[in-house]
Amino acid sequence: MSQTISPLAGKPAPKSILTDIKALIAAYHDRKPDPLAPQERVSFGTSGHRGTSVNGSFNEHHVLAITQAICDFRRKEGITGPLFLGIDTHALSAPAAGTAEQVLAANGVELRIAAPGEYTPTPVISHAILTHNRGRRDGLADGIVMTPSHNPPGDGGYKYNPTHGGPADSAVTGWIGARANAYLERRLDGVRRMTATAAAGAATTRRHDFMTPYVADLGDVVDFDAIRGSGIRMAVDPLGGAGVHYWPRIAERYRLDLTLLSDAVDPQFAFMAVDWDGQIRMDPSSPHAMAPLVAQKDRFDVSFACDTDHDRHGVIAASCGLMPSNHYLSVLADYLLAHRPGWPRGAMLGKTVVTTAMLDRIAAKAGRAVYEVPVGFKWFAQGLHDGRLVFGCEESAGASALRRDGTVWTTDKDGIVPALLSGEVMARSGRDPGELYAALETGFGAIHADRVEAAANPDQKRALAALAPEALSISDLAGEPVGRVISRAPGNAEPIGGIKASSAGGWFAARPSGTEDIYKIYAESFRSRDHLARLLAEAQDIVDHALAGAARSADKAGA
């Protein structure tokens, strides 16, 4: 199996692929989703409800229904504090926030939102929730972020963070989603709403300065004295995202040699290089989307970027260019575990089942247990909040860590902090993150990794998510005995939404995407690139066979 790389990949976006923003906004307001069509219902994946207005999957009715459902959830749970609302720079985010504001005001919810023209990154909303709730037993806050993360410009997204500050778990999103779909089915009967003017002027709607307290507290997580004293030259490209106004403030406050490469904000994201599949995608871990920044790597000691809501990071080292996210996460974990004496000793390192095994080796060296969970940062939120986890990360370049004194920082992914920590790592070690990963390979052995994708219809995705280990019937993996096959994560015994098979020489995992009609196969070989290719080929055969078997069973059941 291989991915077909678009001839546009890594090149400036031609006008022919740019989103028609006027049509997108018009469809948001005018198109009414069909609640009987599965693709037009509210559906919370691994990171909120996502879709686009032009196909009826992210429209005003969705936002009205979800927001009323959240108001109902708050009443049910006795959440009476303020709700912090953030938006990124996607074209649908501001209209969605305006819609939500009307429902929140009509329900008497105390809303805190940034000033017009300002954007609020996902980690900043988490920080605001935790800051407000610290030491409180009642009057607790929660939050909403309008963002589809790094998705294409035509997409919209809606995320809810309850009082622990991180992504809502499946029980919460399941309740909210069911309630929202019931409102859609009743044509919004029961949804409370004010006019936009009345909502903006409501006593419960207040403008909030998110930036100042977040930037002020960054020094609790990052050693800026070390960075400043080293003279390291850094650069950042916000990729037109929600942190675009944060970086100059950070550089000014902490007196950093930090060059802002672009402050452009454009809902078409026409300044982006095209991603691997011919789409515009603000993915800081993509070598195609990041090609313009990689081309400048020799101008700086280290440079970085974040996605549109700034909950993911990409780090470029002068020695190697854009680092695979697993490589930088390994470097970061190894450094932090050795340089954070204030972290609780018995706390664990968190990773998802598809994140690199290099982290297991690093944790073992540091005397830390590994907490391995399904894909989704929601599985780390409570552990980071309670201090049972010192660090949580996903292979898709998302991570958060405790403050230097061992207390909680954010319980959602924070792209800003890992990016800045690349400067601290280099300042303290004298080597860039690429050189440090090479040192890890020397000490622990090389790991060869890849991830590939294939088309899958909804039935196939459901079949893959429901696969049981016994359904695979495999005893050999790339020439070595299979050690184990799992469908539940070792750390919390929750379903991983697919399967993972391991041997002494490596592993593969297969799972359906929560946002696209594809499935993904991840693999790591501890042997060689050739062994990795064999792992991936066998994984593809195993998955194809399993899906074919599931289809035959479904046909028999329907006969």
Side-chain angles (χ1 to χ4, degrees):
M1 176 179 60
S2 62
Q3 294 178 163
T4 301
I5 304 298
S6 168
L8 296 175
K11 299 176 181 178
K15 289 185 179 179
S16 60
I17 71 168
L18 299 182
T19 300
D20 184 338
I21 301 300
K22 188 175 293 186
L24 189 75
I25 301 301
Y28 171 79
H29 292 290
D30 298 339
R31 180 159 178 164
K32 306 300 186 285
D34 179 1
L36 299 181
Q39 68 274 17
E40 297 185 27
R41 291 172 67 82
V42 172
S43 177
F44 282 86
T46 52
S47 191
H49 173 78
R50 294 182 189 175
T52 183
S53 59
V54 294
N55 70 5
S57 56
F58 192 91
N59 303 84
E60 185 175 56
H61 277 210
H62 293 107
V63 177
L64 289 167
I66 295 170
T67 308
Q68 184 61 56
I70 287 173
C71 292
D72 298 344
F73 176 79
R74 295 180 103 241
R75 276 190 287 272
K76 179 174 78 75
E77 297 295 316
I79 301 171
T80 59
L83 185 144
F84 297 104
L85 174 59
I87 65 169
D88 74 1
T89 54
H90 276 83
L92 291 175
S93 295
T99 301
E101 184 176 310
Q102 296 170 39
V103 177
L104 294 166
N107 282 269
V109 173
E110 224 180 291
L111 174 64
R112 301 289 179 269
I113 189 168
E118 290 296 333
Y119 312 99
T120 310
T122 286
V124 177
I125 292 295
S126 180
H127 175 270
I129 294 169
L130 294 170
T131 299
H132 175 87
N133 291 347
R134 188 177 298 124
R136 293 177 182 266
R137 292 177 176 268
D138 51 26
L140 299 180
D142 55 359
I144 292 169
V145 189
M146 298 300 183
T147 174
S149 190
H150 61 289
N151 277 27
D155 283 5
Y158 194 129
K159 299 199 300 187
Y160 175 63
N161 287 27
T163 57
H164 60 46
D169 64 27
S170 301
V172 173
T173 57
W175 192 95
I176 292 170
R179 191 86 163 189
N181 282 320
Y183 283 123
L184 290 179
E185 291 163 4
R186 298 199 301 266
R187 299 185 180 182
L188 302 181
D189 181 38
V191 173
R192 303 175 186 176
R193 183 183 189 183
M194 281 184 178
T195 66
T197 302
T204 52
T205 302
R206 300 182 191 174
R207 298 298 172 178
H208 185 80
D209 177 8
F210 289 97
M211 189 186 301
T212 298
Y214 177 85
V215 172
D217 282 356
L218 277 171
D220 293 342
V221 196
V222 181
D223 186 347
F224 288 110
D225 291 338
I227 299 174
R228 187 169 51 252
S230 70
I232 287 174
R233 295 167 299 128
M234 303 185 295
V236 60
D237 189 338
L239 302 183
V244 65
H245 298 150
Y246 280 66
W247 293 105
R249 181 79 71 86
I250 292 168
E252 178 185 17
R253 180 181 177 92
Y254 295 104
R255 305 193 307 280
L256 304 177
D257 185 353
L258 175 63
T259 299
L260 180 68
L261 295 173
S262 173
D263 61 359
V265 175
D266 170 16
Q268 290 185 308
F269 293 89
F271 52 78
M272 287 294 301
V274 179
D275 205 4
W276 68 273
D277 58 352
Q279 293 199 67
I280 295 174
R281 193 178 284 111
M282 291 61 70
D283 183 356
S285 65
S286 165
H288 308 290
M290 291 281 279
L293 186 53
V294 174
Q296 302 184 64
K297 72 178 180 66
D298 294 331
R299 293 178 55 200
F300 309 101
D301 296 309
V302 66
S303 50
F304 36 80
C306 291
D307 70 337
T308 325
D309 68 321
H310 272 48
D311 71 344
R312 302 183 191 208
H313 61 273
V315 170
I316 295 172
S319 65
C320 65
L322 179 64
M323 296 185 68
S325 54
N326 275 324
H327 289 195
Y328 180 64
L329 289 171
S330 297
V331 168
L332 187 56
D334 184 63
Y335 171 82
L336 291 174
L337 291 176
H339 291 83
R340 293 295 186 264
W343 282 2
R345 291 189 178 183
M348 299 175 286
L349 182 151
K351 54 168 272 193
T352 64
V353 292
V354 297
T355 309
T356 181
M358 182 66 81
L359 289 167
D360 299 84
R361 301 173 185 185
I362 290 166
K365 181 192 76 170
R368 299 272 183 181
V370 171
Y371 181 65
E372 189 172 351
V373 298
V375 172
F377 211 79
K378 61 188 177 185
W379 303 112
F380 301 131
Q382 200 62 54
L384 288 167
H385 185 274
D386 299 341
R388 289 180 288 112
L389 297 177
V390 293
F391 183 72
C393 62
E394 298 184 306
E395 63 82 33
S396 55
S400 189
L402 297 183
R403 298 178 191 234
R404 289 193 280 172
D405 66 1
T407 59
V408 64
W409 169 243
T410 63
T411 48
D412 210 332
K413 299 187 292 286
D414 188 335
I416 297 171
V417 163
L420 289 167
L421 283 170
S422 67
E424 180 187 334
V425 167
M426 191 169 181
R428 290 291 188 193
S429 69
R431 293 182 287 178
D432 78 25
E435 294 168 326
L436 291 171
Y437 187 76
L440 288 177
E441 287 193 319
T442 299
F444 292 115
I447 293 180
H448 310 276
D450 202 357
R451 186 186 85 183
V452 290
E453 300 171 353
N457 62 42
D459 289 338
Q460 290 173 320
K461 290 171 64 176
R462 282 191 291 271
L464 179 55
L467 273 183
E470 54 270 19
L472 296 188
S473 302
I474 57 170
S475 58
D476 180 271
L477 187 61
E480 297 180 277
V482 171
R484 66 175 181 174
V485 181
I486 62 171
S487 60
R488 291 182 176 271
N492 59 4
E494 292 288 343
I496 65 174
I499 47 96
K500 181 177 182 179
S502 307
S503 71
W507 60 269
F508 84 84
R511 56 178 293 272
S513 168
T515 57
E516 301 175 86
D517 284 334
I518 58 173
Y519 68 85
K520 303 177 183 182
I521 295 179
Y522 311 75
E524 284 192 332
S525 168
F526 312 145
R527 307 294 187 221
S528 66
R529 297 297 303 179
D530 289 342
H531 184 256
L532 174 65
R534 187 174 173 185
L535 267 176
L536 285 167
E538 291 190 13
Q540 178 70 79
D541 289 341
I542 290 166
V543 172
D544 287 347
H545 181 76
L547 292 180
R552 286 192 296 271
S553 298
D555 289 342
K556 288 180 181 178

